[in-house]
Amino acid sequence: MIHLKINNIPVEIEEGSTILDATKLAGIHVPTLCHLDMEGLGYINREANCRICLVEQNKGGKLVPACNTLVKEGMDIHTDTLRVVTARRVNIELLLSNHPKNCLICSKNGDCELQDLAVLANIKEIRYEGERFDFPLDKSSLSIVRNPNKCILCKRCETMCNEVQTVGTLTDIGRGFSTVIGTAYNEPMFQTNCTFCGQCLAVCPTGALDYVHNIKDAYKALSDKDKVVVVQTAPAVRVALGEEYGMEPGSVVTGKMTTALRRLGFDYVFDTDFAADLTTMEEAKEFAERFEKQENLPILTSCCPSWIKFIEHNYGDLLEIPSTCKSPHEMFGSIAKTYFAQSHGIDPKNMVVVSIMPCVAKKYESARPELGIDNDISDVDIVLTTKELASMIRDFSMDFVNLPDSDFDDPLGESTGAGVIFGASGGVLESAIRTAYHMITGEDLEVLEFKGLKEISGIKEAELEIQGRKVRAAVASGLGNARKLLEEVREDRNKYDIIEIMACPGGCIDGGGQPPLHGDYRKLRQRMHAIHREDREKEIRRSYENPSIQKIYKEFLGEPGNEKSHELLHTNFSWRNKY
């Protein structure tokens, strides 16, 4: 243990801790900007580039960054001297001097950490006017917009992209004043190996990284009287949307969200959980056939478009083992424009399917040419994030917290607990096992939950027996963990039978389109607990028991995995040499 004083308060803390850790222990707030402690993920961004966390070492001693200076025995640290406050203020002013001043129209307005610091320091003028960045915007992708002029070189995105996700798209390029975070050879984002997971923009403190906004497209569709506009909402949205209105993290706002969507003018309000049940049926059938034949194992789940792009870039030799199932929202779009459109006499060309998703990669995914009912009609037309939905609700001046609850429309709104758990890491696999067990044995699996899979970080494993044969399952969230798992699969294809991978740590609840965590990963756990709480509270918890799922197979699809199901609900993947 190390003993030191902070503002004359004695502190005892473990060796290897930083001054910032010690100030927190002492209950003293030291503002930070580039620092980000990704609790639970095992990574900390402490580049000390911004110098906002400067503290004074011994009275009259040198100024040091609290975030990456280790404590030493007998240190005497001061966080609130005039010298410290002045230096901190000057550093904020210098950052602002090279930053755009269009805060009122910035998408981060009101949620910008640099803006918050300027308010905290009571900065009313820019004293250091001079040369400023003038880089072009990168709007090449359908998911992420990069604005280097708003970058403060905190390197949070670089840490997330390279160390947590191991994708390696973002890096610092150039020298001195010309230094900028960008891609190798300044390639546009769409022409890189970026998976569009959105974790970079989830940790960006400013508006340097943002998702592509599609609200105008949604309003245009809603204004067109010739269009039937159908909306679906992902399971992770309902446990995070309330945070935008001051509600406790993990508040389940399904009924209020459904009411809000109707008031926005959508013709039909459906639930992606229904499509998650449908995905479960197809994926479980695929697994059951492979497991019984002991061929082409392990099967990898295919619900996450970012993870799929990751394997297409990095593991072309393993592309035969992912499930061929489309992701749930794409399955929904296909069913909406065929089964639902036919039963309601709607021309699919006049139907607009809008997906409300926690994920920015879904924006890119919806434009993949193979995902449509034919060459001219895509499964999904518009993808909005949780944050975008919150903006639309504010546009209509709704008092969201006090909205009455309402139900989804039938028949594509009925779901089971197995559908809702798709929103959290481990849920897709757990849902598939519940149904695959029934398909193989004809019996119901009584133990519906695998407690070992309900963690946010790392690689989780579980085992169960089906007809005397052991099923070995693994779950990974975060692409860094996915890489570790896939390297194991490369070495030994017999180690696992079924694997779930989600690109975002914790699964869809931590998608790049969700309300930001700002380093508070307790919110992530609260969202995960809410997902599983809703599963437990559902009357039906197995996908094959969903009456609407039974009906669609009886009236339209036939059997899971048959020719029609493959035509509408399955897809293919391709090795990507570059992008």
Side-chain angles (χ1 to χ4, degrees), residues 40-286:
L41 303 186
Y43 294 93
I44 299 177
N45 186 71
R46 45 180 170 213
E47 295 284 335
N49 287 342
C50 68
R51 287 309 204 252
I52 301 300
C53 66
L54 289 177
V55 294
E56 194 169 342
Q57 186 174 324
N58 304 321
K59 268 286 176 87
K62 64 179 181 178
L63 299 178
V64 295
C67 71
N68 76 344
T69 303
L70 299 181
V71 294
K72 294 180 181 177
E73 185 68 28
M75 267 185 167
D76 185 16
I77 301 297
H78 295 270
T79 71
D80 57 0
T81 65
L82 180 61
R83 187 171 170 224
V84 167
V85 171
T86 301
R88 184 179 297 150
R89 181 187 178 90
V90 167
N91 286 336
I92 295 171
E93 288 182 290
L94 288 171
L95 286 171
L96 291 171
S97 72
N98 187 28
H99 198 81
K101 299 174 181 61
N102 58 345
C103 295
L104 288 177
I105 58 172
C106 177
S107 62
K108 275 279 195 169
N109 186 27
D111 195 26
C112 171
E113 294 179 44
L114 180 59
Q115 192 179 55
D116 291 343
L117 281 174
V119 172
L120 181 69
N122 197 32
I123 293 173
K124 305 298 182 185
E125 61 177 332
I126 305 297
R127 294 186 293 165
Y128 307 109
E129 295 285 359
E131 187 178 353
R132 284 175 43 194
F133 286 156
D134 187 19
F135 295 108
L137 272 63
D138 182 354
K139 295 183 177 181
S140 62
S141 92
L142 298 172
S143 294
I144 296 173
V145 176
R146 193 168 60 86
N147 186 348
N149 302 306
K150 295 181 180 180
C151 179
I152 58 169
L153 299 177
C154 69
K155 296 195 177 183
R156 286 186 187 181
C157 62
E158 191 176 341
T159 298
M160 181 59 79
C161 186
N162 296 312
E163 296 184 33
V164 180
Q165 299 294 71
T166 68
V167 174
T169 300
L170 296 174
T171 186
D172 52 318
I173 51 180
R175 289 187 174 189
F177 185 76
S178 299
T179 304
V180 67
I181 304 297
T183 63
Y185 309 108
N186 275 321
E187 292 276 16
M189 290 285 279
F190 195 70
Q191 294 181 12
T192 69
N193 65 337
C194 176
T195 66
F196 307 122
C197 69
Q199 287 301 299
C200 57
L201 64 90
V203 298
C204 180
T206 67
L209 289 161
D210 196 8
Y211 52 79
V212 174
H213 291 249
N214 298 110
I215 291 177
K216 288 181 180 178
D217 299 325
Y219 282 149
K220 183 179 179 181
L222 289 167
S223 300
D224 191 335
K225 302 304 179 186
D226 294 326
K227 300 295 183 183
V228 176
V229 188
V230 173
V231 67
Q232 59 169 320
T233 61
V237 175
R238 69 206 64 194
V239 297
L241 180 61
E243 294 170 32
E244 286 285 302
Y245 307 97
M247 299 175 74
E248 276 292 307
S251 297
V252 180
V253 296
T254 313
K256 297 180 188 301
M257 175 183 66
T258 306
T259 299
L261 289 166
R262 286 202 176 89
R263 293 188 182 184
L264 288 172
F266 289 99
D267 296 300
Y268 295 96
V269 180
F270 291 130
D271 195 356
T272 312
D273 289 13
F274 164 85
D277 280 333
L278 190 61
T279 305
T280 296
M281 297 297 292
E282 294 297 318
E283 209 157 60
K285 178 67 174 179
E286 212 173 346

Side-chain angles (χ1 to χ4, degrees), residues 33 36 45 56 69 74 118 128 143 149 167 177 208 218 332 368 378 380 405 432 460 483 495 510 530 534 537 550 556:
L33 187 56
L36 184 66
N45 186 71
E56 194 169 342
T69 303
Y128 307 109
S143 294
N149 302 306
V167 174
F177 185 76
F332 173 91
R368 286 185 68 135
S378 60
V380 174
D405 290 346
K460 290 91 66 176
R483 188 181 292 278
K495 185 172 183 179
D510 189 28
E534 186 161 339
E537 291 173 356
Q550 294 171 352
F556 184 68

Side-chain angles (χ1 to χ4, degrees), residues 430-555:
E430 191 172 290
S431 178
I433 290 293
R434 293 179 190 180
T435 293
Y437 184 92
H438 176 76
M439 287 179 170
I440 295 170
T441 67
E443 300 173 356
D444 295 334
L445 180 65
E446 295 301 325
V447 180
L448 296 180
E449 297 186 40
F450 301 91
K451 291 183 179 179
L453 303 182
K454 293 175 174 58
E455 294 296 329
I456 291 173
S457 61
I459 296 170
K460 290 91 66 176
E461 297 179 339
E463 288 186 355
L464 79 155
E465 280 194 3
I466 299 181
Q467 291 185 333
R469 284 189 289 183
K470 188 176 291 185
V471 176
R472 297 152 300 176
V475 169
S477 66
L479 292 175
N481 290 322
R483 188 181 292 278
K484 292 175 188 175
L485 201 51
L486 289 177
E487 291 298 333
E488 289 185 29
V489 171
R490 261 183 176 166
E491 290 181 14
D492 183 7
R493 288 281 292 271
N494 297 315
K495 185 172 183 179
Y496 300 108
D497 299 297
I498 181 169
I499 294 173
E500 178 202 299
I501 295 177
M502 291 290 177
C504 298
C508 301
I509 50 174
D510 189 28
Q514 295 277 71
L517 299 172
H518 295 301
D520 186 358
Y521 283 83
R522 291 173 300 176
K523 293 180 180 178
L524 201 55
R525 291 188 177 89
Q526 288 169 293
R527 293 174 188 174
M528 180 175 278
H529 292 157
I531 286 282
H532 290 290
R533 187 170 65 249
E534 186 161 339
D535 167 36
R536 295 183 193 112
E537 291 173 356
K538 287 271 193 176
E539 272 188 48
I540 304 174
R541 299 181 65 189
R542 303 177 182 92
S543 297
Y544 57 88
E545 294 177 342
N546 182 340
S548 292
I549 291 292
Q550 294 171 352
K551 184 179 180 182
I552 197 172
Y553 277 107
K554 183 178 180 181
E555 295 181 352

